[in-house]
Structure formats: C-alpha cells, structure tokens
Amino acid sequence: MESSNMSRLPLLLLCLAIATTASQQTCEPVAVPENQNAWIRLREMLPGCWTNYTTQDGKEVHILSLHYTTEAPNMFTLNMTAAQPMHLIITTDSKQIIYTEAHANTDVSIYVANDSNMQIMGKIVNVQKKAFPTDNKDIVRWAAEKFGGVTSFTTIQNPMSIASTGREGTRLLPTGSNNCTLENEWHALKHYLKLESNMRLLKSCSNQLPHSRTEKELYIVNIPEDVSIRLVSVHVISERQISLFLRGPQGTVWSIHDPTHTSFSSNNVILLAATSMMHKIPPTITISTDSADAVQKTALDHFRASTITSYSEIRTEGTMVTLVLGNKDHTSVTEAAPTETTPSPPSPPQMPLLMQLYTSPDYRSPLDPNTKVQSDKRIYAEISGRTLGEIVLTIKVINCSVRSKGSCPVVRDMPFRPEVCSSTVCPNSTRVSFSLELLQDLASTSWDLECSVKLCFSEKCGDGGRVKRNLEVTQTYIPPPMACIDFGLSAVLGIAFGGFLIGVLLIGALWVIKIRTECPCSLTSKRQPVSNNPSPSENSSANASIGSTQSTPTSSMA
C-alpha cells in the first residue's frame, strides 16, 4: 500500500507542476494610465467636427460636450486665458452637479444651459445662461443659427482639465465646407485644445519581460459583451512575428491595416486592408465568454504559445476605436513617437475609393480624364469602393470642392445633387452630379475635383476619407459685348458743321431747281410791264381802224 502511494507521489507532483505552470501563463489586467503602454495605444473615436468658420467679427465658435460616468470625479478645471476670441458653449448630459474652476480672458464668452448642473467658479468675465438643447445635432444647429456657423464640436469623457494652447482654433487644412457635420474623430489632433481625462478605457497586462528577445509575440484584445464598440481599426508596427487574438461581441468588425508577418484569429469578421484591396475573413473560432482568464487560455491554446506579450480589455462608450499594437524598438511610447504629432489613422475600415465621371445621367458614357467639358454642361459622378464578402459599407458624400492647378490655386465649394440609384445597380457605390456653371467665369481650365465621404456600417458612420479626380473644363463661347465708340469734342463739332453745310447745300439746290422750272412768260410780264399811253402810230392805226369800222354801217344804210 505504501509502495503504491509512493509511486503516485511523483505523478501528483507532476500534475501540480503542470497546473502551477498553466496558472502562471495568464495575467490579471490593470488600468493603463493615458490609455497606452509599451505594447498598445488606444485612440477613442468620439463624435465631433472641425471647420474653418469664424464670425464676421473674427470670433471662433466652439462647443464642448462633456460626458461623465457614474464613478468619475465631478470636477474639472477650465483655462481659457490664452484663447483666441471665441464663443464657448459647454453642454453636459450629467445628472450630478459638475464643479468647474474656470479662468478666461475678456474675449471669451462662455455659454451654459439654463438647466445645466454646472457650477462655475473662478475669475471669468462673461458667463451667459441660454435655453439651448443638449442633443449633439440640436446644439450644433442652435449654435449655427445664433452665430452663423460652428468652428468645432468636441466630445470629452470624464474631463479633468481643459485648456487653450493659444493657437487659432480653425482647421489647418481646408475642409471644402464650413458646415459642422458630426462624425467620429480623434480629438487629440485639435491643436488648440489641451485635454486631460481620467477615463480609464484600457486595462492591460503581460507575462512577458519587457526586454525579452522572443521572435514571436502574442497580442490578445478582448472587448466585453456590454461595450458598444463595433468598429476597431488595428495597426501593427512590430517587426517581429505577431499573433493576434481578437474577441468581441457579435457584430464587431476588426479592420487590420497593412499586416506584415501577422497571423490572426477572431470570433468576429476581420477585414484585411491591404494597399489596394480589402479581404473579408469570416470568424475562425467560437468563444462564448468574455472572462479574461478564459480568453487568455483560449488564445494560448490556439496559437500554441507559452507567454502573452499583451492582453488588453477595452471599455468605451464610443462605437469606433483605433489600436496601435507593438513597438519597433521596444522602448517606451513617449520615447518612440509622440502621439500628439502622429496623424490619426482612420477608425472605420478604409477601402480604396474611385470616382468615375460621366457625361450623361444614364451613366453609360465615361469621361476620359483628359477630355475637356464645356462649362455650361452638367457632369455625373459615381463614387465606389471595393469590398469582398457580405460586409456592405454605404458611401455617403459629405461635401465636394474643386481646386485649380497652378502656382496660385483657387478653391471653390462644389454643390452636388444626389442621383437615385438602387442598391442592386450601385453596390458599395453612390452617384451625384455637378453643374460646372461655377467655373464659367474663372480663368483656370484644369481642376482637381475632390469629395469627402463617410462609410456607414450597421447604421454607424465614420470618416471614409477623400476621393479625387482630374477635371478639364473649357469655357463656353460667349459673344463679346459691342464696343462703345468714344466720340471726342472735335468729332462732335465736325459732325455738327458737316450737317450744317449739308443743310445749306440742300436749300441752295432746291432754290436753283425752283428757278429753272418756272414759266418764261410770266417772267417777261414781270420784267416789262404794259404802258397805259400808246404811241402815235398805234393811235393812228387805231383811229383808222375805228373809222373804217364806223363807215360800214353808214354805207349799208344808204
């Protein structure tokens, strides 16, 4: 009996060692300060907008939408002493009282709602209470009606500090439109604001030594079931062999950009975004729990790994996030590349966009890029993207503009009209048309037509980027106006004198014609009048004539 027990002892010790080793493979995630560490960086995409709008008196119009979780501290500081002249609208949907220590210069006007729970204290000059809504779109509409437009809208979760950097709040690059259209954005790109938040969006852990030289790394990302994230953009920058294990609620879509030396597995759909194409990969595993321990063990078994480079849990109220995984030199993130100066990669799955122009509304006559179009015509555009699989991304055109080519480019907004097209005829595409009359009076004939679009998936939309197309325009012939002849004083006097001479000559000619056509006898009688006293010869002949006349009756009577 004792020998039997002694023989089982090594087996029990072996099982205990195996169990201990297995338990050491997993790790317990803890909150990550500033949502980044040496292995992962999280960028939350929240509703916002950013334009170049300023009022007629040169003031910017900014809206801050504050959101608080139940466990978050209800106090933050607001420092606008270095801010540009602005109207600052602060709104919150928090039901608890929010205490604000605020400082601002005299050129900053602060607006809060009449029923706001914000208690503002500090050295501020101008705080006004107004009756305005708290819904994002409604507050943007209200501000646009009151001030003529909106410069920016920024959503901040659990703010600790909000400060102005002193820089202008208008966007550095032209947007083509001053309309504030809300879309998911990364607010860290807004250079005029310095924000600090105590929102802990990321929990992470690792059982791999920071400076280990393992050739293969395992990254696990777990989104709990009660989180609303649906679109996750993943960027891998490590130069080693990477294994990705991605788990999320049903309906989550993972977009992996430029995967190099990467293998992956997920219980969700993966969109593999390469430089020119996008491939859809269906779920490869089934896992029903979001438990950290169970997810880690499943990943270790799936990839037959012994250590976890990084395990991360994400919790945010947004629907889109961007993850940057890995580190090329395995140094700290702050030493590698400051995130403030790194452009934010787009959050939704990006797909190559193409704009094709047509000359007729039936979309049967494609327009060659080098063909010139008369400026009195209308052109028709179809913007399309290429996707594979069953994922359908709806394309929505936000705004369009034209930019002339040359050393002094001219930028003009390009109004467009949506063209009806059924989903069967236009899968993953949309159609619009433009009138070129705007370009009729401009000198340039070579333009870049550019449109910004949104990509929508499951009623959630995000920035889809911009699509550009060359456009050649020829001016329609317009007859030049008749030149106005400028008569000088000498010309006027010459014409008047000439007219006078012509009149004199005409009168003289008429007088000569009259003289030439009169009766000659009348002219004689007028020139030689008849005398009343006849001459002696005339009298004698007359008497003789009388005498003979008188004698005839006498003789007859005799």
Side-chain angles (χ1 to χ4, degrees):
M1 187 71 179
E2 290 182 359
S3 61
S4 176
N5 291 334
M6 291 297 294
S7 63
R8 292 178 181 176
L9 183 59
L11 184 59
L12 292 174
L13 292 175
L14 180 61
C15 291
L16 181 60
I18 294 174
T20 303
T21 304
S23 65
Q24 291 176 347
Q25 289 179 340
T26 61
C27 60
E28 185 66 25
V30 295
V32 177
E34 298 182 2
N35 302 315
Q36 62 183 21
N37 58 21
W39 309 108
I40 184 171
R41 275 148 285 179
L42 170 65
R43 294 169 179 172
E44 185 181 25
M45 315 299 285
L46 296 172
C49 69
W50 195 9
T51 72
N52 295 317
Y53 177 77
T54 56
T55 60
Q56 292 183 352
D57 56 355
K59 284 192 173 184
E60 301 165 1
V61 181
H62 298 283
I63 303 174
L64 300 180
S65 179
L66 311 182
H67 296 266
Y68 287 87
T69 55
T70 54
E71 71 279 1
N74 57 344
M75 177 179 287
F76 74 96
T77 60
L78 178 68
N79 187 352
M80 290 289 159
T81 55
Q84 299 290 323
M86 69 170 64
H87 299 286
L88 180 62
I89 304 165
I90 305 177
T91 178
T92 178
D93 57 0
S94 176
K95 302 302 180 184
Q96 60 181 336
I97 297 178
I98 306 299
Y99 297 96
T100 306
E101 182 182 354
H103 304 274
N105 60 52
T106 55
D107 291 327
V108 177
S109 301
I110 299 177
Y111 300 83
V112 296
N114 287 334
D115 56 351
S116 175
N117 292 329
M118 293 182 58
Q119 298 292 330
I120 301 179
M121 304 168 290
K123 297 180 181 180
I124 50 179
V125 178
N126 191 0
V127 178
Q128 303 180 34
K129 287 197 171 185
K130 298 289 184 179
F132 56 73
T134 57
D135 178 76
N136 290 351
K137 292 183 179 179
D138 291 341
I139 187 65
V140 169
R141 189 179 301 110
W142 178 87
E145 292 176 355
K146 182 172 180 61
F147 301 110
V150 175
T151 309
S152 77
F153 181 102
T154 307
T155 303
I156 311 171
Q157 294 199 65
N158 293 359
M160 294 176 56
S161 173
I162 304 173
S164 170
T165 62
R167 298 179 64 179
E168 292 183 355
T170 53
R171 192 163 186 168
L172 295 176
L173 298 176
T175 58
S177 173
N178 283 330
N179 294 328
C180 180
T181 304
L182 295 178
E183 56 188 21
N184 291 289
E185 64 172 11
W186 186 43
H187 59 62
L189 293 179
K190 294 179 175 177
H191 55 264
Y192 59 93
L193 284 178
K194 183 178 180 181
L195 306 176
E196 293 183 11
S197 172
N198 58 11
M199 190 72 178
R200 296 293 181 257
L201 308 176
L202 182 64
K203 286 184 177 182
S204 184
C205 65
S206 174
N207 61 12
Q208 178 178 308
L209 295 177
H211 300 286
S212 63
R213 301 299 300 175
T214 56
E215 294 300 324
K216 293 185 178 181
E217 297 177 342
L218 173 60
Y219 289 84
I220 306 171
V221 181
N222 181 19
I223 301 177
E225 290 293 322
D226 58 346
V227 175
S228 59
I229 300 174
R230 288 298 175 267
L231 288 174
V232 185
S233 181
V234 181
H235 297 255
V236 181
I237 63 173
S238 178
E239 295 177 344
R240 302 183 183 183
Q241 293 286 339
I242 296 292
S243 297
L244 294 181
F245 189 87
L246 310 173
R247 198 221 76 88
Q250 186 177 3
T252 305
V253 176
W254 305 81
S255 175
I256 304 177
H257 297 260
D258 295 329
T260 304
H261 310 300
T262 303
S263 58
F264 36 81
S265 183
S266 177
N267 67 321
N268 308 119
V269 170
I270 292 178
L271 295 178
L272 193 61
T275 55
S276 60
M277 297 185 66
M278 181 171 289
H279 301 273
K280 176 202 169 187
I281 301 176
T284 55
I285 60 169
T286 301
I287 180 170
S288 58
T289 178
D290 59 2
S291 166
D293 188 68
V295 172
Q296 291 179 47
K297 288 181 179 179
T298 304
L300 289 168
D301 293 340
H302 182 80
F303 288 108
R304 297 180 182 179
S306 58
T307 59
I308 298 173
T309 306
S310 173
Y311 168 82
S312 304
E313 288 183 4
I314 304 173
R315 286 188 175 274
T316 175
E317 294 183 1
T319 59
M320 298 183 184
V321 295
T322 295
L323 298 178
V324 180
L325 303 177
N327 199 343
K328 289 186 177 181
D329 54 5
H330 286 244
T331 58
S332 63
V333 175
T334 55
E335 294 176 359
T339 56
E340 290 80 7
T341 58
T342 304
S344 170
S347 59
Q350 293 289 300
M351 60 181 178
L353 294 173
L354 174 68
M355 182 190 298
Q356 177 63 54
L357 300 181
Y358 296 85
T359 58
S360 60
D362 57 7
Y363 288 84
R364 294 181 179 178
S365 304
L367 181 64
D368 186 85
N370 298 321
T371 301
K372 292 184 178 292
V373 184
Q374 290 187 349
S375 58
D376 61 343
K377 301 296 183 181
R378 192 170 192 88
I379 60 172
Y380 300 83
E382 183 175 49
I383 301 174
S384 59
R386 187 191 309 172
T387 59
L388 300 178
E390 299 176 357
I391 297 297
V392 177
L393 295 176
T394 304
I395 301 175
K396 291 186 178 180
V397 180
I398 305 304
N399 55 64
C400 295
S401 62
V402 288
R403 182 185 181 90
S404 64
K405 297 180 179 180
S407 58
C408 298
V410 177
V411 180
R412 291 287 187 272
D413 287 344
M414 199 67 172
F416 62 90
R417 183 179 69 194
E419 299 291 333
V420 178
C421 185
S422 64
S423 58
T424 56
V425 178
C426 300
N428 294 319
S429 64
T430 188
R431 290 177 174 179
V432 294
S433 63
F434 307 92
S435 173
L436 301 181
E437 292 181 354
L438 262 165
L439 312 179
Q440 197 163 17
D441 299 328
L442 301 178
S444 178
T445 59
S446 296
W447 301 84
D448 283 328
L449 174 61
E450 189 174 32
C451 294
S452 62
V453 302
K454 288 195 299 185
L455 300 181
C456 300
F457 173 73
S458 298
E459 300 181 355
K460 302 295 182 181
C461 298
D463 182 20
R466 305 179 73 85
V467 57
K468 184 163 55 174
R469 167 65 191 263
N470 177 66
L471 177 62
E472 297 290 333
V473 178
T474 180
Q475 302 297 334
T476 304
Y477 174 75
I478 301 176
M482 295 297 294
C484 182
I485 301 174
D486 185 14
F487 292 102
L489 179 61
S490 58
V492 173
L493 293 177
I495 294 173
F497 184 69
F500 173 75
L501 288 179
I502 292 173
V504 171
L505 291 174
L506 288 174
I507 292 174
L510 291 174
W511 179 257
V512 171
I513 293 172
K514 180 179 180 183
I515 292 175
R516 295 282 185 182
T517 56
E518 278 192 355
C519 179
C521 59
S522 62
L523 292 176
T524 305
S525 62
K526 288 181 179 180
R527 292 176 183 178
Q528 298 178 3
V530 178
S531 176
N532 293 326
N533 300 316
S535 62
S537 60
E538 292 177 345
N539 291 336
S540 58
S541 60
N543 294 333
S545 170
I546 295 171
S548 68
T549 306
Q550 291 177 349
S551 61
T552 305
T554 305
S555 58
S556 62
M557 289 179 63

